[in-house]
Amino acid sequence: MARTAVIGGNWKMNLDFEAAMELASGLRNRLGSHRGAASIVFPAFPYLRPVSKRLSECNISVGAQDLHVEAKGAFTGAVSATMIKSIGVTHVLVGHSERRAVFGDDDALVARKLTVALDAGLVPTLCIGETQSERESGDTFAVLQRQLDSALRAHTAAALDSLIVAYEPVWAIGTGLTATPEQAQEVHAWVRAHVSALLGPSFADALPIQYGGSVKPTNAAALLAQPDIDGALVGGASLKAESFTEIVRAA
Ligand code: PGA
């Protein structure tokens, strides 16, 4: 089936305020009336509201890079789903590998974050992926299965209607090493088959599965041409309006 491509731009902890607003303006000018692939940008928390205002009249969505599981209270430094929602932001990343590796988000916490995001009506991108050593020891599919089962098992297909999954092999993130289109396609097909076993074939067939890990204008088209790759989650190359736009146009 034809799925609409979705390209995410994960700005991570980059850009000062002025540069973030300039990037938002650059994207608005280039992609504001783009009618092909959907795009979502994920700026740092302090920029969410101004960036979403700057992009308000155009076809680019805005999301947070993370959320806290509690709704409110004494959690210094944390930001809740309802806060994100209350400033008009619609999307959120859940379980990015940097959250898992640097901040200790384990499968159980990622599962709770997904539930909280869905309950708040945010569109979640659930990130999954194996490390280099997990791939080398032949554990790729076991790792992905554990990550998917733990996050999805509590939910019905109807509750997960808005879900986006991003497959991001950890060894390809920020390293310049990209999975080959064939390597990525093999994993994406496996993810879709596994999701089909969990939630049914029509859900799996409609699910957007993004690839992430050193996606650039030069490799995007070949990755996106694969039948089970429905978009990309882009880090480094999303920090320049030109390169992000090229990737969106390749989709
Ligand atoms: P990268 O990051 O494109 O810089 O490899 C991707 C990601 O972390 O989502």
mmCIF file with all atom_site columns, all heavy atoms in Angstrom, residues 95 99-101 103-113 146-147 150:
data_model
loop_
_atom_site.group_PDB
_atom_site.id
_atom_site.type_symbol
_atom_site.label_atom_id
_atom_site.label_alt_id
_atom_site.label_comp_id
_atom_site.label_asym_id
_atom_site.label_entity_id
_atom_site.label_seq_id
_atom_site.pdbx_PDB_ins_code
_atom_site.Cartn_x
_atom_site.Cartn_y
_atom_site.Cartn_z
_atom_site.occupancy
_atom_site.B_iso_or_equiv
_atom_site.pdbx_formal_charge
_atom_site.auth_seq_id
_atom_site.auth_comp_id
_atom_site.auth_asym_id
_atom_site.auth_atom_id
_atom_site.pdbx_PDB_model_num
ATOM 1   N N   . GLY A 1 95  ? 11.924 7.351  23.264 1.00 0.00 ? 95  GLY A N   1
ATOM 2   C CA  . GLY A 1 95  ? 12.907 6.263  23.240 1.00 0.00 ? 95  GLY A CA  1
ATOM 3   C C   . GLY A 1 95  ? 14.045 6.460  22.267 1.00 0.00 ? 95  GLY A C   1
ATOM 4   O O   . GLY A 1 95  ? 14.647 5.475  21.813 1.00 0.00 ? 95  GLY A O   1
ATOM 5   N N   . ARG A 1 99  ? 18.470 9.022  24.467 1.00 0.00 ? 99  ARG A N   1
ATOM 6   C CA  . ARG A 1 99  ? 17.754 8.966  25.751 1.00 0.00 ? 99  ARG A CA  1
ATOM 7   C C   . ARG A 1 99  ? 18.041 7.614  26.421 1.00 0.00 ? 99  ARG A C   1
ATOM 8   O O   . ARG A 1 99  ? 18.255 7.542  27.633 1.00 0.00 ? 99  ARG A O   1
ATOM 9   C CB  . ARG A 1 99  ? 16.229 9.096  25.552 1.00 0.00 ? 99  ARG A CB  1
ATOM 10  C CG  . ARG A 1 99  ? 15.741 10.424 25.009 1.00 0.00 ? 99  ARG A CG  1
ATOM 11  C CD  . ARG A 1 99  ? 15.974 11.597 25.909 1.00 0.00 ? 99  ARG A CD  1
ATOM 12  N NE  . ARG A 1 99  ? 15.752 11.344 27.321 1.00 0.00 ? 99  ARG A NE  1
ATOM 13  C CZ  . ARG A 1 99  ? 16.028 12.232 28.281 1.00 0.00 ? 99  ARG A CZ  1
ATOM 14  N NH1 . ARG A 1 99  ? 16.524 13.429 27.978 1.00 0.00 ? 99  ARG A NH1 1
ATOM 15  N NH2 . ARG A 1 99  ? 15.804 11.941 29.543 1.00 0.00 ? 99  ARG A NH2 1
ATOM 16  N N   . ARG A 1 100 ? 18.037 6.560  25.631 1.00 0.00 ? 100 ARG A N   1
ATOM 17  C CA  . ARG A 1 100 ? 18.273 5.232  26.220 1.00 0.00 ? 100 ARG A CA  1
ATOM 18  C C   . ARG A 1 100 ? 19.705 5.126  26.741 1.00 0.00 ? 100 ARG A C   1
ATOM 19  O O   . ARG A 1 100 ? 19.939 4.641  27.849 1.00 0.00 ? 100 ARG A O   1
ATOM 20  C CB  . ARG A 1 100 ? 18.022 4.141  25.161 1.00 0.00 ? 100 ARG A CB  1
ATOM 21  C CG  . ARG A 1 100 ? 16.555 4.049  24.680 1.00 0.00 ? 100 ARG A CG  1
ATOM 22  C CD  . ARG A 1 100 ? 16.430 2.958  23.597 1.00 0.00 ? 100 ARG A CD  1
ATOM 23  N NE  . ARG A 1 100 ? 15.153 2.928  22.910 1.00 0.00 ? 100 ARG A NE  1
ATOM 24  C CZ  . ARG A 1 100 ? 14.147 2.082  23.183 1.00 0.00 ? 100 ARG A CZ  1
ATOM 25  N NH1 . ARG A 1 100 ? 14.251 1.199  24.146 1.00 0.00 ? 100 ARG A NH1 1
ATOM 26  N NH2 . ARG A 1 100 ? 13.029 2.122  22.473 1.00 0.00 ? 100 ARG A NH2 1
ATOM 27  N N   . ALA A 1 101 ? 20.685 5.605  25.932 1.00 0.00 ? 101 ALA A N   1
ATOM 28  C CA  . ALA A 1 101 ? 22.093 5.389  26.294 1.00 0.00 ? 101 ALA A CA  1
ATOM 29  C C   . ALA A 1 101 ? 22.615 6.420  27.286 1.00 0.00 ? 101 ALA A C   1
ATOM 30  O O   . ALA A 1 101 ? 23.367 6.077  28.199 1.00 0.00 ? 101 ALA A O   1
ATOM 31  C CB  . ALA A 1 101 ? 22.962 5.404  25.034 1.00 0.00 ? 101 ALA A CB  1
ATOM 32  N N   . PHE A 1 103 ? 20.707 8.866  29.094 1.00 0.00 ? 103 PHE A N   1
ATOM 33  C CA  . PHE A 1 103 ? 19.846 9.231  30.225 1.00 0.00 ? 103 PHE A CA  1
ATOM 34  C C   . PHE A 1 103 ? 19.234 8.013  30.914 1.00 0.00 ? 103 PHE A C   1
ATOM 35  O O   . PHE A 1 103 ? 18.439 8.166  31.833 1.00 0.00 ? 103 PHE A O   1
ATOM 36  C CB  . PHE A 1 103 ? 18.740 10.183 29.758 1.00 0.00 ? 103 PHE A CB  1
ATOM 37  C CG  . PHE A 1 103 ? 19.277 11.482 29.212 1.00 0.00 ? 103 PHE A CG  1
ATOM 38  C CD1 . PHE A 1 103 ? 19.502 11.652 27.857 1.00 0.00 ? 103 PHE A CD1 1
ATOM 39  C CD2 . PHE A 1 103 ? 19.589 12.528 30.070 1.00 0.00 ? 103 PHE A CD2 1
ATOM 40  C CE1 . PHE A 1 103 ? 20.015 12.845 27.351 1.00 0.00 ? 103 PHE A CE1 1
ATOM 41  C CE2 . PHE A 1 103 ? 20.111 13.726 29.578 1.00 0.00 ? 103 PHE A CE2 1
ATOM 42  C CZ  . PHE A 1 103 ? 20.319 13.879 28.215 1.00 0.00 ? 103 PHE A CZ  1
ATOM 43  N N   . GLY A 1 104 ? 19.556 6.839  30.432 1.00 0.00 ? 104 GLY A N   1
ATOM 44  C CA  . GLY A 1 104 ? 19.106 5.627  31.110 1.00 0.00 ? 104 GLY A CA  1
ATOM 45  C C   . GLY A 1 104 ? 17.639 5.275  30.912 1.00 0.00 ? 104 GLY A C   1
ATOM 46  O O   . GLY A 1 104 ? 17.058 4.551  31.726 1.00 0.00 ? 104 GLY A O   1
ATOM 47  N N   . ASP A 1 105 ? 17.012 5.792  29.852 1.00 0.00 ? 105 ASP A N   1
ATOM 48  C CA  . ASP A 1 105 ? 15.621 5.393  29.581 1.00 0.00 ? 105 ASP A CA  1
ATOM 49  C C   . ASP A 1 105 ? 15.620 3.910  29.180 1.00 0.00 ? 105 ASP A C   1
ATOM 50  O O   . ASP A 1 105 ? 16.112 3.550  28.108 1.00 0.00 ? 105 ASP A O   1
ATOM 51  C CB  . ASP A 1 105 ? 15.024 6.227  28.433 1.00 0.00 ? 105 ASP A CB  1
ATOM 52  C CG  . ASP A 1 105 ? 14.753 7.684  28.822 1.00 0.00 ? 105 ASP A CG  1
ATOM 53  O OD1 . ASP A 1 105 ? 15.333 8.160  29.819 1.00 0.00 ? 105 ASP A OD1 1
ATOM 54  O OD2 . ASP A 1 105 ? 13.963 8.332  28.109 1.00 0.00 ? 105 ASP A OD2 1
ATOM 55  N N   . ASP A 1 106 ? 15.089 3.060  30.039 1.00 0.00 ? 106 ASP A N   1
ATOM 56  C CA  . ASP A 1 106 ? 15.052 1.636  29.690 1.00 0.00 ? 106 ASP A CA  1
ATOM 57  C C   . ASP A 1 106 ? 13.716 1.309  29.028 1.00 0.00 ? 106 ASP A C   1
ATOM 58  O O   . ASP A 1 106 ? 12.851 2.175  28.862 1.00 0.00 ? 106 ASP A O   1
ATOM 59  C CB  . ASP A 1 106 ? 15.315 0.759  30.926 1.00 0.00 ? 106 ASP A CB  1
ATOM 60  C CG  . ASP A 1 106 ? 14.285 0.993  32.025 1.00 0.00 ? 106 ASP A CG  1
ATOM 61  O OD1 . ASP A 1 106 ? 13.243 1.661  31.762 1.00 0.00 ? 106 ASP A OD1 1
ATOM 62  O OD2 . ASP A 1 106 ? 14.507 0.509  33.147 1.00 0.00 ? 106 ASP A OD2 1
ATOM 63  N N   . ASP A 1 107 ? 13.558 0.052  28.630 1.00 0.00 ? 107 ASP A N   1
ATOM 64  C CA  . ASP A 1 107 ? 12.338 -0.317 27.888 1.00 0.00 ? 107 ASP A CA  1
ATOM 65  C C   . ASP A 1 107 ? 11.072 -0.003 28.683 1.00 0.00 ? 107 ASP A C   1
ATOM 66  O O   . ASP A 1 107 ? 10.067 0.429  28.117 1.00 0.00 ? 107 ASP A O   1
ATOM 67  C CB  . ASP A 1 107 ? 12.361 -1.814 27.545 1.00 0.00 ? 107 ASP A CB  1
ATOM 68  C CG  . ASP A 1 107 ? 13.353 -2.122 26.435 1.00 0.00 ? 107 ASP A CG  1
ATOM 69  O OD1 . ASP A 1 107 ? 13.560 -1.259 25.553 1.00 0.00 ? 107 ASP A OD1 1
ATOM 70  O OD2 . ASP A 1 107 ? 13.932 -3.220 26.455 1.00 0.00 ? 107 ASP A OD2 1
ATOM 71  N N   . ALA A 1 108 ? 11.112 -0.222 29.987 1.00 0.00 ? 108 ALA A N   1
ATOM 72  C CA  . ALA A 1 108 ? 9.913  0.010  30.804 1.00 0.00 ? 108 ALA A CA  1
ATOM 73  C C   . ALA A 1 108 ? 9.558  1.502  30.818 1.00 0.00 ? 108 ALA A C   1
ATOM 74  O O   . ALA A 1 108 ? 8.378  1.880  30.704 1.00 0.00 ? 108 ALA A O   1
ATOM 75  C CB  . ALA A 1 108 ? 10.154 -0.500 32.231 1.00 0.00 ? 108 ALA A CB  1
ATOM 76  N N   . LEU A 1 109 ? 10.573 2.348  30.957 1.00 0.00 ? 109 LEU A N   1
ATOM 77  C CA  . LEU A 1 109 ? 10.314 3.794  30.971 1.00 0.00 ? 109 LEU A CA  1
ATOM 78  C C   . LEU A 1 109 ? 9.838  4.267  29.590 1.00 0.00 ? 109 LEU A C   1
ATOM 79  O O   . LEU A 1 109 ? 8.913  5.082  29.485 1.00 0.00 ? 109 LEU A O   1
ATOM 80  C CB  . LEU A 1 109 ? 11.572 4.554  31.402 1.00 0.00 ? 109 LEU A CB  1
ATOM 81  C CG  . LEU A 1 109 ? 11.406 6.066  31.550 1.00 0.00 ? 109 LEU A CG  1
ATOM 82  C CD1 . LEU A 1 109 ? 10.312 6.424  32.559 1.00 0.00 ? 109 LEU A CD1 1
ATOM 83  C CD2 . LEU A 1 109 ? 12.730 6.721  31.963 1.00 0.00 ? 109 LEU A CD2 1
ATOM 84  N N   . VAL A 1 110 ? 10.457 3.744  28.547 1.00 0.00 ? 110 VAL A N   1
ATOM 85  C CA  . VAL A 1 110 ? 10.041 4.110  27.183 1.00 0.00 ? 110 VAL A CA  1
ATOM 86  C C   . VAL A 1 110 ? 8.567  3.715  26.969 1.00 0.00 ? 110 VAL A C   1
ATOM 87  O O   . VAL A 1 110 ? 7.781  4.480  26.407 1.00 0.00 ? 110 VAL A O   1
ATOM 88  C CB  . VAL A 1 110 ? 10.965 3.451  26.137 1.00 0.00 ? 110 VAL A CB  1
ATOM 89  C CG1 . VAL A 1 110 ? 10.411 3.616  24.729 1.00 0.00 ? 110 VAL A CG1 1
ATOM 90  C CG2 . VAL A 1 110 ? 12.381 4.033  26.230 1.00 0.00 ? 110 VAL A CG2 1
ATOM 91  N N   . ALA A 1 111 ? 8.194  2.554  27.471 1.00 0.00 ? 111 ALA A N   1
ATOM 92  C CA  . ALA A 1 111 ? 6.799  2.111  27.335 1.00 0.00 ? 111 ALA A CA  1
ATOM 93  C C   . ALA A 1 111 ? 5.856  3.069  28.060 1.00 0.00 ? 111 ALA A C   1
ATOM 94  O O   . ALA A 1 111 ? 4.796  3.434  27.546 1.00 0.00 ? 111 ALA A O   1
ATOM 95  C CB  . ALA A 1 111 ? 6.647  0.688  27.873 1.00 0.00 ? 111 ALA A CB  1
ATOM 96  N N   . ARG A 1 112 ? 6.253  3.516  29.252 1.00 0.00 ? 112 ARG A N   1
ATOM 97  C CA  . ARG A 1 112 ? 5.401  4.470  29.989 1.00 0.00 ? 112 ARG A CA  1
ATOM 98  C C   . ARG A 1 112 ? 5.318  5.796  29.256 1.00 0.00 ? 112 ARG A C   1
ATOM 99  O O   . ARG A 1 112 ? 4.266  6.427  29.189 1.00 0.00 ? 112 ARG A O   1
ATOM 100 C CB  . ARG A 1 112 ? 5.955  4.689  31.410 1.00 0.00 ? 112 ARG A CB  1
ATOM 101 C CG  . ARG A 1 112 ? 5.725  3.492  32.342 1.00 0.00 ? 112 ARG A CG  1
ATOM 102 C CD  . ARG A 1 112 ? 6.363  3.735  33.694 1.00 0.00 ? 112 ARG A CD  1
ATOM 103 N NE  . ARG A 1 112 ? 5.713  4.803  34.446 1.00 0.00 ? 112 ARG A NE  1
ATOM 104 C CZ  . ARG A 1 112 ? 6.291  5.500  35.427 1.00 0.00 ? 112 ARG A CZ  1
ATOM 105 N NH1 . ARG A 1 112 ? 7.545  5.237  35.780 1.00 0.00 ? 112 ARG A NH1 1
ATOM 106 N NH2 . ARG A 1 112 ? 5.632  6.439  36.063 1.00 0.00 ? 112 ARG A NH2 1
ATOM 107 N N   . LYS A 1 113 ? 6.443  6.240  28.690 1.00 0.00 ? 113 LYS A N   1
ATOM 108 C CA  . LYS A 1 113 ? 6.438  7.509  27.940 1.00 0.00 ? 113 LYS A CA  1
ATOM 109 C C   . LYS A 1 113 ? 5.521  7.415  26.727 1.00 0.00 ? 113 LYS A C   1
ATOM 110 O O   . LYS A 1 113 ? 4.810  8.376  26.404 1.00 0.00 ? 113 LYS A O   1
ATOM 111 C CB  . LYS A 1 113 ? 7.867  7.881  27.518 1.00 0.00 ? 113 LYS A CB  1
ATOM 112 C CG  . LYS A 1 113 ? 8.720  8.344  28.688 1.00 0.00 ? 113 LYS A CG  1
ATOM 113 C CD  . LYS A 1 113 ? 10.095 8.845  28.239 1.00 0.00 ? 113 LYS A CD  1
ATOM 114 C CE  . LYS A 1 113 ? 10.840 9.436  29.448 1.00 0.00 ? 113 LYS A CE  1
ATOM 115 N NZ  . LYS A 1 113 ? 12.115 10.081 29.077 1.00 0.00 ? 113 LYS A NZ  1
ATOM 116 N N   . ARG A 1 146 ? 12.334 -7.043 21.546 1.00 0.00 ? 146 ARG A N   1
ATOM 117 C CA  . ARG A 1 146 ? 12.166 -6.644 22.955 1.00 0.00 ? 146 ARG A CA  1
ATOM 118 C C   . ARG A 1 146 ? 11.676 -5.200 23.045 1.00 0.00 ? 146 ARG A C   1
ATOM 119 O O   . ARG A 1 146 ? 10.741 -4.885 23.787 1.00 0.00 ? 146 ARG A O   1
ATOM 120 C CB  . ARG A 1 146 ? 13.528 -6.792 23.660 1.00 0.00 ? 146 ARG A CB  1
ATOM 121 C CG  . ARG A 1 146 ? 13.485 -6.732 25.159 1.00 0.00 ? 146 ARG A CG  1
ATOM 122 C CD  . ARG A 1 146 ? 14.879 -6.496 25.739 1.00 0.00 ? 146 ARG A CD  1
ATOM 123 N NE  . ARG A 1 146 ? 15.322 -5.136 25.471 1.00 0.00 ? 146 ARG A NE  1
ATOM 124 C CZ  . ARG A 1 146 ? 16.556 -4.803 25.058 1.00 0.00 ? 146 ARG A CZ  1
ATOM 125 N NH1 . ARG A 1 146 ? 17.490 -5.718 24.876 1.00 0.00 ? 146 ARG A NH1 1
ATOM 126 N NH2 . ARG A 1 146 ? 16.854 -3.532 24.830 1.00 0.00 ? 146 ARG A NH2 1
ATOM 127 N N   . GLN A 1 147 ? 12.277 -4.311 22.242 1.00 0.00 ? 147 GLN A N   1
ATOM 128 C CA  . GLN A 1 147 ? 11.892 -2.895 22.290 1.00 0.00 ? 147 GLN A CA  1
ATOM 129 C C   . GLN A 1 147 ? 10.449 -2.702 21.813 1.00 0.00 ? 147 GLN A C   1
ATOM 130 O O   . GLN A 1 147 ? 9.683  -1.935 22.407 1.00 0.00 ? 147 GLN A O   1
ATOM 131 C CB  . GLN A 1 147 ? 12.856 -2.062 21.426 1.00 0.00 ? 147 GLN A CB  1
ATOM 132 C CG  . GLN A 1 147 ? 14.270 -2.023 22.012 1.00 0.00 ? 147 GLN A CG  1
ATOM 133 C CD  . GLN A 1 147 ? 15.284 -1.340 21.091 1.00 0.00 ? 147 GLN A CD  1
ATOM 134 O OE1 . GLN A 1 147 ? 15.076 -1.246 19.876 1.00 0.00 ? 147 GLN A OE1 1
ATOM 135 N NE2 . GLN A 1 147 ? 16.382 -0.881 21.658 1.00 0.00 ? 147 GLN A NE2 1
ATOM 136 N N   . SER A 1 150 ? 7.813  -4.474 24.313 1.00 0.00 ? 150 SER A N   1
ATOM 137 C CA  . SER A 1 150 ? 7.654  -3.768 25.581 1.00 0.00 ? 150 SER A CA  1
ATOM 138 C C   . SER A 1 150 ? 6.849  -2.478 25.396 1.00 0.00 ? 150 SER A C   1
ATOM 139 O O   . SER A 1 150 ? 6.011  -2.133 26.219 1.00 0.00 ? 150 SER A O   1
ATOM 140 C CB  . SER A 1 150 ? 9.042  -3.532 26.169 1.00 0.00 ? 150 SER A CB  1
ATOM 141 O OG  . SER A 1 150 ? 9.173  -2.247 26.638 1.00 0.00 ? 150 SER A OG  1
#
